[in-house]
Amino acid sequence: MDTTPLKSMLESNIDFGKLKKSTTEIIISAVNLHTAIPEFFNQNEITINHIMASSAMPIIFPPHKIDGIPYWDGGIMANIPLLPALSREIEEIIVVLLSPFGHNFNLPEPKKLMDAGEHLMEQSLVSSYQSTLMGQDITRIKDQLSASSYLRRKNLRRDIENIEPNGIDNIKNNENKTSPRIITIAPSKMLGIPSLLNFTLKQANRLMAEGYNNARQKLNSIL
């Protein structure tokens, strides 16, 4: 599909000068097609090309190039990108899911081919999130985080080059660290594969309203 209208809309509505001045770090991800590794970019380097690359759903939309390198939607490899937050030792993380997978563990067994396909797609998207949770080792996660060249150049990635990743002291220090509190907000039911391509204003408003209500219920229940 032609993404030229999307690019025009984004350029008209995003002030990249203000974005760079944000005191809150904003990070987006995209998958490098040459290396098959997700990369993370923050507001100091984000341009229209980074946003287009980050939203380029494979097959549906064409890849988009950043500095001559083709990228796809970061959700393919890290649909719920916990690594940047874990590497910064954030104490509380709010994860917003677009399906009940990874949150609701009483999902019905698929009975039809379309249901099975939807389950398979959602499981593949949430797999990196589940793997990160199961293998949460913050010291080693820092070493695994693939930052963009800008983040490396500006030392915005927490640098552990002088720490032996497998050292005994490293392991002892890690044992004393408190795991971050992770709060998950998710819809109560599947949205359906057709919703992926429903870009109507009515659908967008419906999803935003549902997301707001889900978030309010979840956050009220834990306060």
Side-chain angles (χ1 to χ4, degrees):
M1 293 185 180
D2 181 16
T3 55
T4 302
L6 172 62
K7 184 176 182 180
S8 299
M9 184 271 288
L10 292 172
E11 288 178 323
S12 300
N13 288 277
I14 298 177
D15 187 329
F16 289 95
K18 287 185 177 180
L19 186 67
K20 291 183 186 301
K21 295 178 182 179
S22 173
T23 56
T24 300
E25 189 173 20
I26 300 166
I27 299 175
I28 63 174
S29 63
V31 175
N32 184 319
L33 288 189
H34 288 168
T35 64
I37 295 175
E39 296 184 15
F40 302 91
F41 309 89
N42 80 354
Q43 76 273 19
N44 291 297
E45 59 184 330
I46 291 173
T47 65
I48 187 63
N49 289 330
H50 294 83
I51 295 178
M52 292 298 294
S54 184
S55 60
M57 287 190 290
I59 301 175
I60 299 172
F61 299 135
H64 204 85
K65 291 186 177 181
I66 300 174
D67 297 329
I69 299 173
Y71 285 82
W72 257 345
D73 185 344
I76 301 305
M77 300 291 290
N79 195 42
I80 302 148
L82 282 177
L83 292 181
L86 293 175
S87 72
R88 284 154 176 73
E89 299 180 1
I90 302 299
E91 295 179 358
E92 184 174 84
I93 301 170
I94 297 178
V95 174
V96 181
L97 302 177
L98 300 183
S99 89
F101 272 89
H103 179 64
N104 184 344
F105 299 102
N106 294 305
L107 295 170
E109 179 182 347
K111 300 295 184 182
K112 299 178 181 179
L113 183 61
M114 179 65 78
D115 294 337
E118 187 173 8
H119 275 61
L120 178 62
M121 181 190 72
E122 294 295 349
Q123 286 173 353
S124 66
L125 290 175
V126 81
S127 62
S128 66
Y129 174 55
Q130 295 292 357
S131 297
T132 302
L133 289 179
M134 289 187 291
Q136 195 179 124
D137 182 332
I138 294 177
T139 301
R140 291 181 176 82
I141 283 173
K142 286 181 188 177
D143 197 40
Q144 295 164 7
L145 177 59
S146 177
S148 68
S149 59
Y150 181 93
L151 290 179
R152 288 192 293 268
R153 192 165 64 247
K154 295 296 184 180
N155 295 321
L156 292 175
R157 170 189 174 188
R158 292 193 183 271
D159 191 0
I160 60 164
E161 289 181 357
N162 297 322
I163 300 176
E164 190 66 32
N166 297 316
I168 297 299
D169 291 339
N170 221 16
I171 294 173
K172 288 180 179 179
N173 291 335
N174 194 49
E175 289 175 349
N176 297 325
K177 289 182 179 178
T178 303
S179 296
R181 181 190 190 195
I182 299 178
I183 301 168
T184 304
I185 297 170
S188 57
K189 59 183 178 180
M190 303 287 285
L191 301 179
I193 291 179
S195 70
L196 277 175
L197 298 177
N198 187 344
F199 302 126
T200 63
L201 181 60
K202 180 179 179 180
Q203 171 76 347
N205 287 330
R206 184 181 74 81
L207 293 178
M208 284 190 288
E210 183 174 345
Y212 174 81
N213 289 328
N214 288 333
R216 184 176 62 180
Q217 291 173 11
K218 177 68 176 183
L219 296 177
N220 282 340
S221 70
I222 62 177
L223 292 178

